[in-house]
Short mmCIF file of all heavy atoms in Angstrom, two decimals:
data_model
loop_
_atom_site.label_atom_id
_atom_site.label_comp_id
_atom_site.label_asym_id
_atom_site.label_seq_id
_atom_site.Cartn_x
_atom_site.Cartn_y
_atom_site.Cartn_z
N ALA L 1 92.85 92.02 118.58
CA ALA L 1 93.67 93.19 118.91
C ALA L 1 93.75 93.42 120.41
O ALA L 1 94.83 93.67 120.97
CB ALA L 1 93.12 94.43 118.21
N PHE L 2 92.61 93.33 121.10
CA PHE L 2 92.61 93.56 122.54
C PHE L 2 93.15 92.37 123.32
O PHE L 2 93.93 92.55 124.27
CB PHE L 2 91.19 93.89 123.02
CG PHE L 2 90.75 95.29 122.72
CD1 PHE L 2 89.62 95.53 121.96
CD2 PHE L 2 91.48 96.38 123.18
CE1 PHE L 2 89.21 96.82 121.68
CE2 PHE L 2 91.08 97.69 122.90
CZ PHE L 2 89.94 97.91 122.15
N GLU L 3 92.77 91.16 122.93
CA GLU L 3 93.05 89.99 123.77
C GLU L 3 94.37 89.32 123.45
O GLU L 3 94.88 88.57 124.30
CB GLU L 3 91.88 89.01 123.66
CG GLU L 3 90.57 89.62 124.16
CD GLU L 3 89.38 88.68 124.07
OE1 GLU L 3 89.57 87.48 123.73
OE2 GLU L 3 88.24 89.14 124.34
N HIS L 4 94.95 89.58 122.28
CA HIS L 4 96.23 88.97 121.93
C HIS L 4 97.33 90.01 121.69
O HIS L 4 98.43 89.87 122.21
CB HIS L 4 96.08 88.05 120.72
CG HIS L 4 95.22 86.86 121.00
ND1 HIS L 4 95.73 85.67 121.50
CD2 HIS L 4 93.87 86.66 120.89
CE1 HIS L 4 94.75 84.81 121.67
NE2 HIS L 4 93.62 85.38 121.31
N PHE L 5 97.02 91.05 120.93
CA PHE L 5 98.01 92.12 120.78
C PHE L 5 98.13 92.94 122.06
O PHE L 5 99.17 93.54 122.32
CB PHE L 5 97.63 93.07 119.64
CG PHE L 5 97.79 92.50 118.26
CD1 PHE L 5 96.98 92.93 117.22
CD2 PHE L 5 98.76 91.54 117.98
CE1 PHE L 5 97.13 92.44 115.94
CE2 PHE L 5 98.92 91.03 116.70
CZ PHE L 5 98.10 91.48 115.68
N GLY L 6 97.05 92.98 122.84
CA GLY L 6 97.07 93.72 124.10
C GLY L 6 97.03 95.22 123.93
O GLY L 6 97.56 95.96 124.77
N VAL L 7 96.37 95.70 122.86
CA VAL L 7 96.34 97.14 122.62
C VAL L 7 95.42 97.83 123.62
O VAL L 7 94.53 97.22 124.23
CB VAL L 7 95.88 97.46 121.18
CG1 VAL L 7 96.82 96.86 120.17
CG2 VAL L 7 94.44 96.99 120.94
N ALA L 8 95.64 99.13 123.77
CA ALA L 8 94.76 99.96 124.60
C ALA L 8 93.66 100.59 123.76
O ALA L 8 92.67 101.09 124.33
CB ALA L 8 95.58 101.05 125.29
N ARG L 9 93.81 100.55 122.44
CA ARG L 9 92.89 101.30 121.57
C ARG L 9 92.88 100.69 120.17
O ARG L 9 93.91 100.28 119.64
CB ARG L 9 93.38 102.74 121.50
CG ARG L 9 92.72 103.64 120.49
CD ARG L 9 93.45 104.98 120.41
NE ARG L 9 92.89 105.79 119.35
CZ ARG L 9 91.96 106.73 119.50
NH1 ARG L 9 91.50 106.99 120.72
NH2 ARG L 9 91.49 107.41 118.48
N VAL L 10 91.67 100.64 119.58
CA VAL L 10 91.48 100.27 118.18
C VAL L 10 90.82 101.45 117.47
O VAL L 10 89.80 101.97 117.94
CB VAL L 10 90.61 99.01 118.03
CG1 VAL L 10 90.27 98.77 116.56
CG2 VAL L 10 91.32 97.79 118.61
N ASP L 11 91.41 101.88 116.36
CA ASP L 11 90.87 102.98 115.57
C ASP L 11 90.14 102.47 114.33
O ASP L 11 90.51 101.43 113.76
CB ASP L 11 91.99 103.88 115.04
CG ASP L 11 92.78 104.57 116.13
OD1 ASP L 11 92.29 104.64 117.27
OD2 ASP L 11 93.88 105.05 115.83
N LEU L 12 89.14 103.23 113.89
CA LEU L 12 88.49 103.03 112.60
C LEU L 12 88.23 104.40 112.01
O LEU L 12 87.77 105.31 112.71
CB LEU L 12 87.16 102.27 112.75
CG LEU L 12 87.24 100.89 113.41
CD1 LEU L 12 86.78 100.96 114.85
CD2 LEU L 12 86.42 99.85 112.65
N LYS L 13 88.52 104.58 110.71
CA LYS L 13 88.30 105.86 110.04
C LYS L 13 87.56 105.63 108.73
O LYS L 13 87.69 104.57 108.11
CB LYS L 13 89.62 106.57 109.74
CG LYS L 13 90.35 107.09 110.95
CD LYS L 13 91.35 108.20 110.60
CE LYS L 13 92.46 107.75 109.68
NZ LYS L 13 93.45 106.90 110.35
N THR L 14 86.82 106.66 108.30
CA THR L 14 86.15 106.60 107.01
C THR L 14 85.96 108.02 106.50
O THR L 14 86.07 108.99 107.26
CB THR L 14 84.78 105.89 107.14
OG1 THR L 14 84.24 105.66 105.85
CG2 THR L 14 83.79 106.70 107.96
N ASP L 15 85.69 108.14 105.22
CA ASP L 15 85.35 109.44 104.64
C ASP L 15 84.18 110.02 105.44
O ASP L 15 83.17 109.34 105.67
CB ASP L 15 84.97 109.27 103.17
CG ASP L 15 84.86 110.58 102.42
OD1 ASP L 15 84.10 111.46 102.86
OD2 ASP L 15 85.52 110.72 101.37
N ALA L 16 84.31 111.26 105.88
CA ALA L 16 83.27 111.87 106.72
C ALA L 16 81.92 111.93 106.03
O ALA L 16 80.88 111.99 106.69
CB ALA L 16 83.71 113.27 107.14
N ARG L 17 81.90 111.89 104.70
CA ARG L 17 80.64 111.94 103.95
C ARG L 17 79.99 110.57 103.79
O ARG L 17 78.83 110.49 103.33
CB ARG L 17 80.89 112.53 102.56
CG ARG L 17 81.43 113.95 102.57
CD ARG L 17 81.98 114.33 101.22
NE ARG L 17 83.16 113.54 100.86
CZ ARG L 17 83.83 113.68 99.73
NH1 ARG L 17 83.43 114.59 98.84
NH2 ARG L 17 84.88 112.94 99.47
N ASN L 18 80.68 109.52 104.18
CA ASN L 18 80.20 108.16 103.93
C ASN L 18 79.26 107.74 105.05
O ASN L 18 79.66 107.09 106.02
CB ASN L 18 81.39 107.20 103.82
CG ASN L 18 80.99 105.84 103.29
OD1 ASN L 18 79.81 105.47 103.33
ND2 ASN L 18 81.96 105.10 102.78
N ARG L 19 78.00 108.11 104.92
CA ARG L 19 77.03 107.84 105.99
C ARG L 19 76.83 106.34 106.22
O ARG L 19 76.65 105.91 107.36
CB ARG L 19 75.68 108.48 105.65
CG ARG L 19 75.70 110.00 105.54
CD ARG L 19 76.28 110.65 106.79
NE ARG L 19 75.72 110.13 108.03
CZ ARG L 19 76.16 110.43 109.24
NH1 ARG L 19 77.19 111.24 109.37
NH2 ARG L 19 75.60 109.91 110.31
N ARG L 20 76.88 105.56 105.16
CA ARG L 20 76.68 104.12 105.33
C ARG L 20 77.82 103.51 106.15
O ARG L 20 77.58 102.73 107.07
CB ARG L 20 76.61 103.46 103.94
CG ARG L 20 76.36 101.97 103.99
CD ARG L 20 76.10 101.42 102.60
NE ARG L 20 75.75 100.02 102.64
CZ ARG L 20 75.23 99.36 101.62
NH1 ARG L 20 74.96 99.99 100.50
NH2 ARG L 20 74.95 98.08 101.72
N SER L 21 79.04 103.87 105.82
CA SER L 21 80.18 103.35 106.57
C SER L 21 80.17 103.85 108.01
O SER L 21 80.44 103.09 108.95
CB SER L 21 81.48 103.77 105.88
OG SER L 21 82.60 103.34 106.61
N ARG L 22 79.84 105.10 108.20
CA ARG L 22 79.81 105.65 109.56
C ARG L 22 78.74 104.96 110.40
O ARG L 22 78.96 104.65 111.58
CB ARG L 22 79.58 107.16 109.51
CG ARG L 22 80.76 107.92 108.93
CD ARG L 22 80.55 109.42 108.92
NE ARG L 22 80.50 109.96 110.29
CZ ARG L 22 80.54 111.25 110.58
NH1 ARG L 22 80.62 112.14 109.59
NH2 ARG L 22 80.48 111.67 111.83
N ALA L 23 77.59 104.68 109.81
CA ALA L 23 76.54 103.98 110.53
C ALA L 23 76.98 102.58 110.94
O ALA L 23 76.68 102.12 112.05
CB ALA L 23 75.27 103.92 109.69
N ALA L 24 77.70 101.90 110.05
CA ALA L 24 78.18 100.55 110.36
C ALA L 24 79.20 100.58 111.49
O ALA L 24 79.20 99.71 112.38
CB ALA L 24 78.79 99.92 109.11
N ILE L 25 80.08 101.58 111.49
CA ILE L 25 81.07 101.70 112.55
C ILE L 25 80.39 102.02 113.88
O ILE L 25 80.72 101.45 114.94
CB ILE L 25 82.11 102.78 112.19
CG1 ILE L 25 82.95 102.33 110.99
CG2 ILE L 25 83.02 103.07 113.38
CD1 ILE L 25 83.85 103.41 110.42
N GLU L 26 79.43 102.92 113.85
CA GLU L 26 78.71 103.26 115.07
C GLU L 26 77.91 102.09 115.61
O GLU L 26 77.78 101.91 116.83
CB GLU L 26 77.80 104.46 114.79
CG GLU L 26 78.58 105.76 114.57
CD GLU L 26 77.76 106.86 113.90
OE1 GLU L 26 76.54 106.67 113.70
OE2 GLU L 26 78.36 107.91 113.58
N ALA L 27 77.40 101.24 114.71
CA ALA L 27 76.59 100.10 115.13
C ALA L 27 77.40 99.08 115.92
O ALA L 27 76.83 98.33 116.72
CB ALA L 27 75.95 99.44 113.91
N ILE L 28 78.71 99.02 115.70
CA ILE L 28 79.51 98.06 116.47
C ILE L 28 79.99 98.65 117.79
O ILE L 28 80.68 97.98 118.56
CB ILE L 28 80.73 97.54 115.66
CG1 ILE L 28 81.74 98.66 115.40
CG2 ILE L 28 80.27 96.89 114.36
CD1 ILE L 28 83.01 98.16 114.73
N GLY L 29 79.60 99.90 118.07
CA GLY L 29 79.90 100.48 119.38
C GLY L 29 81.12 101.36 119.43
O GLY L 29 81.56 101.74 120.52
N ALA L 30 81.68 101.72 118.28
CA ALA L 30 82.83 102.61 118.28
C ALA L 30 82.38 104.04 118.59
O ALA L 30 81.30 104.46 118.20
CB ALA L 30 83.55 102.57 116.94
N THR L 31 83.23 104.77 119.29
CA THR L 31 82.92 106.14 119.70
C THR L 31 83.46 107.13 118.68
O THR L 31 84.63 107.07 118.31
CB THR L 31 83.55 106.43 121.08
OG1 THR L 31 82.97 105.55 122.05
CG2 THR L 31 83.31 107.87 121.50
N PHE L 32 82.59 108.05 118.26
CA PHE L 32 83.00 109.10 117.32
C PHE L 32 83.85 110.12 118.07
O PHE L 32 83.45 110.65 119.11
CB PHE L 32 81.77 109.77 116.73
CG PHE L 32 82.06 110.95 115.85
CD1 PHE L 32 82.87 110.82 114.74
CD2 PHE L 32 81.51 112.19 116.16
CE1 PHE L 32 83.13 111.92 113.92
CE2 PHE L 32 81.77 113.29 115.35
CZ PHE L 32 82.57 113.15 114.23
N GLU L 33 85.02 110.41 117.54
CA GLU L 33 85.94 111.34 118.19
C GLU L 33 86.10 112.66 117.45
O GLU L 33 86.70 113.59 117.98
CB GLU L 33 87.32 110.68 118.36
CG GLU L 33 87.28 109.49 119.29
CD GLU L 33 88.66 108.96 119.62
OE1 GLU L 33 89.61 109.18 118.83
OE2 GLU L 33 88.80 108.34 120.68
N GLY L 34 85.60 112.75 116.23
CA GLY L 34 85.69 114.00 115.51
C GLY L 34 86.10 113.79 114.06
O GLY L 34 86.32 112.66 113.61
N VAL L 35 86.19 114.88 113.34
CA VAL L 35 86.56 114.86 111.93
C VAL L 35 87.96 115.45 111.76
O VAL L 35 88.24 116.55 112.24
CB VAL L 35 85.55 115.64 111.08
CG1 VAL L 35 86.03 115.76 109.64
CG2 VAL L 35 84.18 114.96 111.11
N LEU L 36 88.81 114.67 111.11
CA LEU L 36 90.17 115.12 110.80
C LEU L 36 90.12 115.76 109.42
O LEU L 36 89.96 115.07 108.41
CB LEU L 36 91.14 113.93 110.82
CG LEU L 36 91.15 113.14 112.13
CD1 LEU L 36 91.98 111.87 111.97
CD2 LEU L 36 91.68 113.98 113.27
N ARG L 37 90.23 117.06 109.38
CA ARG L 37 90.03 117.78 108.12
C ARG L 37 91.20 117.60 107.17
O ARG L 37 92.36 117.68 107.57
CB ARG L 37 89.79 119.27 108.43
CG ARG L 37 88.53 119.51 109.24
CD ARG L 37 88.31 120.98 109.51
NE ARG L 37 89.41 121.57 110.25
CZ ARG L 37 89.56 122.88 110.42
NH1 ARG L 37 88.71 123.73 109.87
NH2 ARG L 37 90.57 123.34 111.13
N ARG L 38 90.84 117.34 105.88
CA ARG L 38 91.84 117.13 104.83
C ARG L 38 92.91 116.15 105.29
O ARG L 38 94.10 116.39 105.19
CB ARG L 38 92.46 118.48 104.43
CG ARG L 38 91.47 119.49 103.92
CD ARG L 38 90.75 119.00 102.66
NE ARG L 38 89.88 120.03 102.11
CZ ARG L 38 88.57 120.13 102.37
NH1 ARG L 38 87.99 119.24 103.18
NH2 ARG L 38 87.85 121.08 101.84
N TRP L 39 92.47 115.00 105.77
CA TRP L 39 93.36 114.06 106.45
C TRP L 39 94.05 113.09 105.52
O TRP L 39 95.22 112.77 105.69
CB TRP L 39 92.56 113.28 107.50
CG TRP L 39 93.38 112.28 108.26
CD1 TRP L 39 93.37 110.92 108.11
CD2 TRP L 39 94.35 112.55 109.27
NE1 TRP L 39 94.25 110.32 108.96
CE2 TRP L 39 94.87 111.31 109.70
CE3 TRP L 39 94.83 113.72 109.85
CZ2 TRP L 39 95.85 111.22 110.69
CZ3 TRP L 39 95.79 113.61 110.85
CH2 TRP L 39 96.29 112.37 111.24
N SER L 40 93.33 112.57 104.54
CA SER L 40 93.92 111.54 103.69
C SER L 40 93.32 111.61 102.29
O SER L 40 92.36 112.34 102.04
CB SER L 40 93.71 110.14 104.28
OG SER L 40 92.32 109.83 104.38
N ARG L 41 93.90 110.85 101.40
CA ARG L 41 93.50 110.87 99.99
C ARG L 41 92.02 110.54 99.83
O ARG L 41 91.50 109.62 100.46
CB ARG L 41 94.34 109.85 99.22
CG ARG L 41 93.98 109.72 97.76
CD ARG L 41 94.90 108.73 97.08
NE ARG L 41 94.56 108.56 95.67
CZ ARG L 41 95.23 107.79 94.82
NH1 ARG L 41 96.30 107.12 95.25
NH2 ARG L 41 94.87 107.69 93.56
N SER L 42 91.35 111.29 98.97
CA SER L 42 89.96 110.99 98.65
C SER L 42 89.88 109.92 97.57
O SER L 42 90.66 109.95 96.61
CB SER L 42 89.24 112.25 98.16
OG SER L 42 87.93 111.92 97.72
N TRP L 43 88.93 108.99 97.74
CA TRP L 43 88.69 107.96 96.74
C TRP L 43 87.37 108.20 96.01
O TRP L 43 86.94 107.36 95.22
CB TRP L 43 88.68 106.58 97.39
CG TRP L 43 89.99 106.23 98.01
CD1 TRP L 43 90.28 106.17 99.34
CD2 TRP L 43 91.22 105.92 97.33
NE1 TRP L 43 91.60 105.84 99.53
CE2 TRP L 43 92.20 105.68 98.31
CE3 TRP L 43 91.58 105.84 95.98
CZ2 TRP L 43 93.51 105.35 97.99
CZ3 TRP L 43 92.88 105.51 95.66
CH2 TRP L 43 93.83 105.26 96.65
N ALA L 44 86.71 109.33 96.30
CA ALA L 44 85.43 109.63 95.65
C ALA L 44 85.65 109.93 94.17
O ALA L 44 86.67 110.52 93.79
CB ALA L 44 84.77 110.80 96.35
N PRO L 45 84.71 109.54 93.32
CA PRO L 45 84.83 109.83 91.89
C PRO L 45 85.04 111.32 91.63
O PRO L 45 84.38 112.17 92.24
CB PRO L 45 83.50 109.33 91.32
CG PRO L 45 83.02 108.32 92.30
CD PRO L 45 83.47 108.79 93.64
N GLY L 46 85.96 111.63 90.73
CA GLY L 46 86.21 113.01 90.36
C GLY L 46 87.07 113.79 91.33
O GLY L 46 87.25 115.01 91.16
N GLU L 47 87.62 113.11 92.34
CA GLU L 47 88.41 113.81 93.35
C GLU L 47 89.87 113.34 93.38
O GLU L 47 90.53 113.42 94.41
CB GLU L 47 87.77 113.65 94.73
CG GLU L 47 86.42 114.33 94.83
CD GLU L 47 85.83 114.33 96.24
OE1 GLU L 47 86.48 113.77 97.17
OE2 GLU L 47 84.72 114.88 96.41
N ASP L 48 90.38 112.90 92.26
CA ASP L 48 91.78 112.49 92.17
C ASP L 48 92.68 113.66 92.59
O ASP L 48 92.50 114.80 92.14
CB ASP L 48 92.14 112.07 90.75
CG ASP L 48 91.49 110.76 90.35
OD1 ASP L 48 90.92 110.10 91.23
OD2 ASP L 48 91.53 110.43 89.15
#
């Protein structure tokens, strides 16, 4: 993305409750920018 597409920014998002996914994103050096409230469809069980 950076070296061929030439982007200025790469985004990653996950359910704010997903601690495992958030830890993995943080481990690769991505910066947390905040929580987008009621942003997208929930995939959690019972939350259709």
Side-chain angles (χ1 to χ4, degrees):
F2 283 122
E3 298 179 7
H4 294 271
F5 289 151
V7 300
R9 171 188 174 96
V10 172
D11 296 343
L12 302 103
K13 291 201 298 287
T14 189
D15 191 305
R17 299 166 295 180
N18 192 340
R19 297 306 312 172
R20 182 172 185 167
S21 177
R22 292 182 67 169
I25 293 171
E26 290 163 6
I28 67 174
T31 297
F32 174 58
E33 295 188 335
V35 173
L36 304 172
R37 297 181 300 169
R38 301 299 185 265
W39 180 255
S40 62
R41 177 178 179 177
S42 174
W43 297 108
E47 295 187 359
D48 290 350

